[in-house]
Amino acid sequence: LAGLGNGAFMSIPNAMVADAADVEELRTGKRDEGLYFGMYSFAYSAGVSISTLLSGFALEAIGFDPNVKVQSEATRYNLAMVPTYLLLATAPFALLFIARYGITRQRWREVQDALAAKRLRDR
């Protein structure tokens, strides 16, 4: 299951960015996928940086001691549960963004057909 989730996480956002670039091309006539992918890469890197910083604070808050070979029972429990709590806390935001993503399969087909027709006219 983790592999499926990771595979989806690595591929679906890139496909969504490409679809959004196509919609923008149809709307404005400009191809800005470099800008879209650049912003996605920046946001991803910023998110990794912030989560790395916050993970250090979380480890301190749950009582993790790097000098101890075996962590206490409470610390081990918290090491397992904190990521679960964070996932539950952030899932509504992810679902909100997914719900607001307006490119359906039908809309994607319409955009692709319109772009193909436009490119034929522009030849």
Side-chain angles (χ1 to χ4, degrees):
L1 287 177
L4 291 173
N6 194 36
F9 177 75
M10 298 306 284
S11 60
I12 290 174
N14 290 314
M16 293 171 74
V17 170
D19 293 345
D22 287 343
V23 169
E24 186 68 12
E25 177 189 4
L26 185 61
R27 191 175 72 78
T28 66
K30 289 177 24 181
R31 293 291 304 177
D32 283 334
E33 62 266 65
L35 175 67
Y36 281 58
F37 279 104
M39 287 303 297
Y40 170 73
S41 295
F42 174 77
Y44 181 81
S45 297
V48 168
S49 298
I50 292 167
S51 66
T52 301
L53 175 68
L54 293 178
S55 67
F57 290 124
L59 285 173
E60 186 175 326
I62 64 174
F64 182 82
D65 184 357
N67 300 318
V68 175
K69 275 191 164 191
V70 177
Q71 300 296 320
S72 71
E73 185 69 30
T75 301
R76 288 185 302 194
Y77 176 79
N78 287 331
L79 280 172
M81 294 310 295
V82 166
T84 303
Y85 297 146
L86 291 173
L87 176 63
L88 291 173
T90 58
F93 297 105
L95 293 173
L96 175 68
F97 287 120
I98 290 169
R100 293 195 62 195
Y101 183 73
I103 303 174
T104 62
R105 186 170 286 162
Q106 178 63 31
R107 175 71 176 134
W108 179 82
R109 284 189 191 107
E110 291 168 0
V111 168
Q112 295 305 309
D113 291 345
L115 286 175
K118 180 182 178 290
R119 289 178 183 134
L120 281 174
R121 283 191 312 266
D122 292 345
R123 281 187 177 183

